[in-house]
Amino acid sequence: MTRELSKDYLDQLVADVHALAADDPNVWGAPASYIPELAHIDPAQFAISVALEDGMILSAGDCDVPFSIQSISKVFTLSIALGRVGDTLWRRVGREPSGNPFDSVMKLEQEKGKPRNPFINAGAIVTTDALLSGHAPKEALSEIIHFVRAAAEDDDIHINKTVAASEKATGYRNLALAHYLRSYGNLDNEPDFTLGVYYHQCAIEMTTVQLARAGRFLASLNDVPKLIAPAKVRSLNALMMTCGQYDGSGEFAFRVGLPSKSGVGGGLLVIVPHRGSIAIWSPGLDSHGNSLMGTYAAERLSRDLGWGVF
Ligand code: DON
């Protein structure tokens, strides 16, 4: 039997997550350790917000704690890039799931420097590079943060520079990917410049309330900021469904049945076409680098409310 969304429903979901963890603390998973600033975040945190068509937002848990959106930023940069360079982006980035981890270099050599999709790191670095061309890094970053603030209709959204610096200090994998891309002629700017913008976009911090609001433009709702053309909303949802969880995308589609994007900060943006946008945060991750309890909650909510698209 499907249930109705309500504040009580979300409070119960949060209570159930904490009850599971009380029985077995391992259910939280562990925060990302390769970005030192994220490694010491307490994994026992959980928040959920749902933004609906009528402007209503229902939330429960730690929904006023800002977290590092990390790869969820790739949805925003892709939205801006598709608006700016349009379909020419697809000459540089593919649209197929990779089946490899988000930071893998393997297919990049086999496929001559063209990343499989815009959500794996290599593809996101190319997308950011496209935004950077013709601009100073500061201008590109300012465009990104303004887009996010406009989507959320909230100016109180900022970049955590300590997190960006922390990732840069240990970002050997991304540096390798950027140099590799450049060697194939698929990076227009110097790796340090493109990665500088990329690390800062990943270090944007938002609460689940802000992220749920910011996701509404992808749900084709009326009365929300029209930030990109309807055809591009469709493309983004297709990419989120097939590639948004990296090598966990098939499993996520199977369990949740909704387009989504994850980040190693433990955030999850889930789009419910024509209904609303869901943001979930729990910092502990699974083996793909996606939020463990976030995925659990997305699956429960989608099943309980009958919101999956299949
Ligand atoms: O480039 C990185 O590795 C991070 N800034 C973002 C990766 C990420 O969020 C993967 N998501 N689950």
Side-chain angles (χ1 to χ4, degrees), residues 40-58:
H40 50 68
I41 289 177
D42 176 8
Q45 299 184 77
F46 182 91
I48 182 163
S49 297
V50 184
L52 297 162
E53 167 108 65
D54 55 8
M56 190 162 71
I57 300 193
L58 293 173

Side-chain angles (χ1 to χ4, degrees), residues 34 103 167-179 195 199:
Y34 74 102
D103 54 358
E167 186 171 11
K168 179 173 194 270
T170 54
Y172 302 110
R173 206 59 84 85
N174 283 326
L175 204 54
L177 290 170
H179 280 272
L195 287 178
Y199 290 141

Side-chain angles (χ1 to χ4, degrees), residues 89 92-93 113 115 121-131 181 186-187 194:
L89 185 71
R92 298 178 62 184
V93 188
N121 285 7
I125 291 168
V126 169
T127 306
T128 296
D129 186 65
L131 287 187
L181 289 162
N186 200 6
L187 204 75
T194 301

Side-chain angles (χ1 to χ4, degrees), residues 190-250:
E190 284 301 324
D192 268 351
F193 280 22
T194 301
L195 287 178
V197 177
Y198 173 77
Y199 290 141
H200 282 81
Q201 80 182 51
C202 289
I204 293 172
E205 292 187 337
M206 298 170 84
T207 64
T208 54
V209 173
Q210 291 171 327
L211 184 60
R213 279 175 73 86
R216 289 170 310 155
F217 76 102
L218 293 166
S220 305
L221 304 182
N222 299 317
D223 301 331
V224 300
K226 294 273 177 287
L227 295 168
I228 58 173
K232 299 205 162 72
V233 169
R234 203 173 58 229
S235 309
L236 270 144
N237 275 281
L239 287 160
M240 290 171 81
M241 180 67 97
T242 52
C243 312
Q245 305 276 326
Y246 314 108
D247 47 343
S249 298

Side-chain angles (χ1 to χ4, degrees), residues 91-93 104-116 122 126 129 175-189 191:
R91 292 189 205 136
R92 298 178 62 184
V93 188
S104 175
V105 74
M106 201 152 64
K107 285 211 166 75
L108 209 50
E109 175 163 29
Q110 286 165 350
E111 301 182 357
K112 304 198 168 31
K114 183 172 178 179
R116 271 270 159 143
V126 169
D129 186 65
L175 204 54
L177 290 170
H179 280 272
Y180 222 90
L181 289 162
R182 178 102 178 162
S183 79
Y184 276 105
N186 200 6
L187 204 75
D188 292 337
N189 300 282

Side-chain angles (χ1 to χ4, degrees), residues 34-35 70-71 74 102 121 167 174 198 202 246 261-264 288-290:
Y34 74 102
I35 302 176
Q70 291 297 322
S71 286
K74 297 168 181 175
F102 61 84
N121 285 7
E167 186 171 11
N174 283 326
Y198 173 77
C202 289
Y246 314 108
K261 184 73 210 79
S262 59
V264 285
H288 305 297
N290 302 329

